[in-house]
Amino acid sequence: MPAVFRFALNDLPPEAASLRAEVREFLKAEFSSAAPVKRAKSWGGFDREFSRRVGARGWIGMTWPKKYGGHERSFLERYVMMEEMLAGGPLLLRFGTEEQRQKILPAIVRGELAFAIGMSEPDSGSDLASLRTRATKVDGGYLVNGTKVWTSNAHLSDYAIALFRTQVVPDKKHEGLTQFLVDLRNTNGITIRPIIDLAGKHHFNEVNFTDAFVPDDARVGNEGDGWKQVTTELGFERSGPERYLSSIALIRELVREVGAHPDDRGTEALGRMVASLATLRQMSTSVAGMLQAGETVNLEAAAVKDVGTTFEQSIPELAHALLDVEPTLTTGSDLQQVLGYITQTAPSFSLRGGTREILRGIIARGLGLR
Ligand SMILES: Cc1cc2nc3c(=O)[nH]c(=O)nc-3n(C[C@H](O)[C@H](O)[C@H](O)COP(=O)(O)OP(=O)(O)OC[C@H]3O[C@@H](n4cnc5c(N)ncnc54)[C@H](O)[C@@H]3O)c2cc1C
C-alpha cells in the first residue's frame, strides 16, 4: 500500500497561550515603533543584542535539556514562540559529543553565539552529496581545502556547521561525508568574501578553505555519518512557521489596505489567503506534534515547505492584482516599501532550504511514487 501523509489535528497546549502573550508583550516593547518594512526583513535579520535579550527570556534552546542551559519545554511551545518571532538549531544535542554540548549549547541558549551553515558549493546545490570540499586526516585533526557558497551571514558568525568530504567512495557520493563545527574567527586559512544579492545586500558569502586546520574535537558525529545527520536536520528546518510566514508583513499591509472596505474580489482574495494560512498553520503544528512524539517528519516537512513557499510567493502577486500600487524600495508608503522588499526576495523562498523540485522529489519518494 502506498504511504500517506500524516497531519494530525493538534490543539496547542494551555501553557502555549500564556507563552504567546509573553512573547507578544516582549516584541511590542522591542518593535512597536519599527516601520513595517523593517519587520518584513525580520526573517533574515542579524542582531546579537536582540539574541541575548531573547536568550535571557528563555526562548532559545526551548526544547533542550536543562543541563545544557535549555528549558525542557515542548515542541508545540517552541512552535508558538517561533510563530510569534521566527528563530532556532538542535544538531549538537543529537550528534555532538558531551564536551561539545557543554562548551557550545549554554552559550547558544544565552544568545551569545551565531552560526552559519556551510553546505552548498559552487558545483553542488540541489545535488549536495556531490560536494568536493575535502577534509584530509592529519595528526590531531583535518586539513580542509575547498569552497562553500551562499553561506548566509558567515561574515557575522562565530562558527559554521559545515559538511566536508572525508573520504571518496567511488559511485557512492552519499558516503564519506562528515559534519564539522568550524571556528570561523580563530582558524587560519579561511577567507570569507561577500556575495551581493539581488536586492544589493551583503548577506551571502563565499567561504574559501586553504589548508585550514580543524581539530578532531570539531567533528560532529562519526566520520561518514554526515549525510544522515544533514537530512535529519532538514526535517526541523523545513516545517516551521518561518516556511510560510516570510510574507506576513505584506499580508498585514494587505488586510489593512483591503480589509476595511473590501469589494467582492477583495473579499474572495482575502478569504482564500486566510484559509490557506490556517491550513498551513495546522500542517505545521501537526509536524511540531510529531517532532514532540519523536517521529520522523521528513515527508510531511517537505510538504509544508513546498506548499508554504508557494503560498508566500503568491502574496506579492495578490497585492499587485488587488491594489493599484507600485512597489518601491526606500521611498513611498509602508505598503509600497513592504511590497518592494517582498517582491525582490520572494523568488529565494523556494530555493533556500531545498528547491521546490527537490522537495517534490522527496514527497514522491515518501509516498512511494518513485
Ligand atoms: C536566501 C538563501 C539563503 C541560503 N543560505 C545558505 C546557507 O546559509 N548555506 C548554504 O550552504 N546554502 C545556502 N543557500 C543555498 C541553497 O541551499 C541552494 O541555492 C539550493 O540548495 C539550490 O542549489 P543551487 O543554487 O546550486 O541550484 P541548483 O541545484 O543548480 O538548481 C537549479 C535549478 O535546477 C533544479 N534542479 C536541480 N536538480 C534537480 C533535479 N534532480 N530534478 C529537478 N530539478 C532539479 C532546482 O530545483 C533549481 O530550480 C541559500 C540560498 C538562498 C536562496
Side-chain angles (χ1 to χ4, degrees), residues 43 116-128 148-153 203-204 348-349 351-358:
W43 65 265
I117 298 178
M119 293 204 215
S120 308
E121 296 186 5
D123 296 316
S124 307
S126 299
D127 185 15
L128 183 64
K148 297 286 174 185
V149 275
W150 315 125
T151 324
S152 302
N153 293 328
H203 142 249
F204 290 131
S348 72
F349 298 164
L351 296 174
R352 56 186 161 120
T355 69
R356 173 167 292 133
E357 290 74 18
I358 295 306

Side-chain angles (χ1 to χ4, degrees), residues 30-42 249 252-253 332-335 337-338:
E30 291 276 338
F31 291 113
S32 58
S33 57
V37 70
K38 182 168 183 215
R39 294 189 207 182
K41 294 177 183 171
S42 67
R252 280 208 196 95
E253 288 301 303
S333 66
D334 286 341
L335 171 65
Q337 289 190 48
V338 172

Side-chain angles (χ1 to χ4, degrees), residues 36-324:
V37 70
K38 182 168 183 215
R39 294 189 207 182
K41 294 177 183 171
S42 67
W43 65 265
F46 188 102
D47 181 340
R48 280 182 189 273
E49 286 311 314
F50 179 71
S51 298
R52 284 202 179 92
R53 292 195 291 276
V54 173
R57 297 300 294 259
W59 297 333
I60 302 180
M62 286 180 75
T63 62
W64 300 356
K66 288 194 172 148
K67 68 173 177 167
Y68 303 121
H71 303 284
E72 297 186 6
R73 299 179 81 158
S74 70
F75 277 90
L76 289 157
E77 286 174 285
R78 176 176 178 272
Y79 181 92
V80 164
M81 189 281 301
M82 293 275 284
E83 191 173 48
E84 293 296 323
M85 186 139 57
L86 309 185
L91 171 79
L92 291 179
L93 207 51
R94 301 190 90 173
F95 303 114
T97 60
E98 191 52 32
E99 196 189 332
Q100 287 169 333
R101 292 176 187 156
Q102 298 280 1
K103 182 175 158 199
I104 306 276
L105 296 181
I108 297 181
V109 169
R110 291 194 299 270
E112 290 171 3
L113 289 184
F115 291 80
I117 298 178
M119 293 204 215
S120 308
E121 296 186 5
D123 296 316
S124 307
S126 299
D127 185 15
L128 183 64
S130 67
L131 68 82
R132 287 184 300 200
T133 297
R134 281 300 301 264
T136 310
K137 190 75 190 89
V138 293
D139 249 7
Y142 298 78
L143 275 189
V144 180
N145 283 283
T147 302
K148 297 286 174 185
V149 275
W150 315 125
T151 324
S152 302
N153 293 328
H155 58 305
L156 301 170
S157 299
D158 304 286
Y159 289 89
I161 299 159
L163 189 64
F164 299 138
R165 186 163 294 288
T166 43
Q167 203 192 350
V168 179
V169 186
D171 299 327
K172 291 191 175 158
K173 60 185 178 182
H174 298 92
E175 293 181 16
L177 297 171
T178 306
Q179 275 189 307
F180 291 86
L181 198 57
V182 181
D183 185 336
L184 290 175
R185 294 178 180 267
N186 303 301
T187 307
N188 292 328
I190 297 181
T191 312
I192 301 175
R193 295 192 196 92
I195 300 177
I196 304 304
D197 67 17
L198 187 70
K201 298 283 182 301
H202 175 198
H203 142 249
F204 290 131
N205 298 275
E206 178 187 281
V207 183
N208 180 267
F209 298 84
T210 307
D211 282 341
F213 178 76
V214 175
D216 282 330
D217 64 8
R219 196 185 69 226
V220 181
N222 297 323
E223 260 193 35
D225 281 353
W227 186 254
K228 188 182 74 192
Q229 292 173 198
V230 163
T231 45
T232 309
E233 271 297 286
L234 288 170
F236 283 96
E237 207 192 310
R238 287 179 174 153
S239 61
E242 69 275 30
R243 292 306 175 198
Y244 62 92
L245 290 177
S246 312
S247 299
I248 190 74
L250 185 54
I251 292 177
R252 280 208 196 95
E253 288 301 303
L254 252 180
V255 171
R256 199 175 52 70
E257 220 33 62
V258 180
H261 306 288
D263 57 14
D264 286 352
R265 208 160 136 250
T267 307
E268 195 233 317
L270 290 194
R272 276 185 190 279
M273 184 177 80
V274 172
S276 299
L277 199 54
T279 309
L280 272 162
R281 180 169 186 268
Q282 181 56 62
M283 290 168 72
S284 183
T285 49
S286 178
V287 176
M290 288 165 67
L291 283 169
Q292 181 64 24
E295 293 173 32
T296 304
V297 299
N298 294 359
L299 170 64
E300 284 76 8
V304 172
K305 182 172 186 289
D306 183 30
V307 183
T309 50
T310 301
F311 169 74
E312 292 179 323
Q313 288 177 332
S314 72
I315 304 299
E317 283 171 31
L318 187 64
H320 281 300
L322 285 181
L323 303 167
D324 183 19

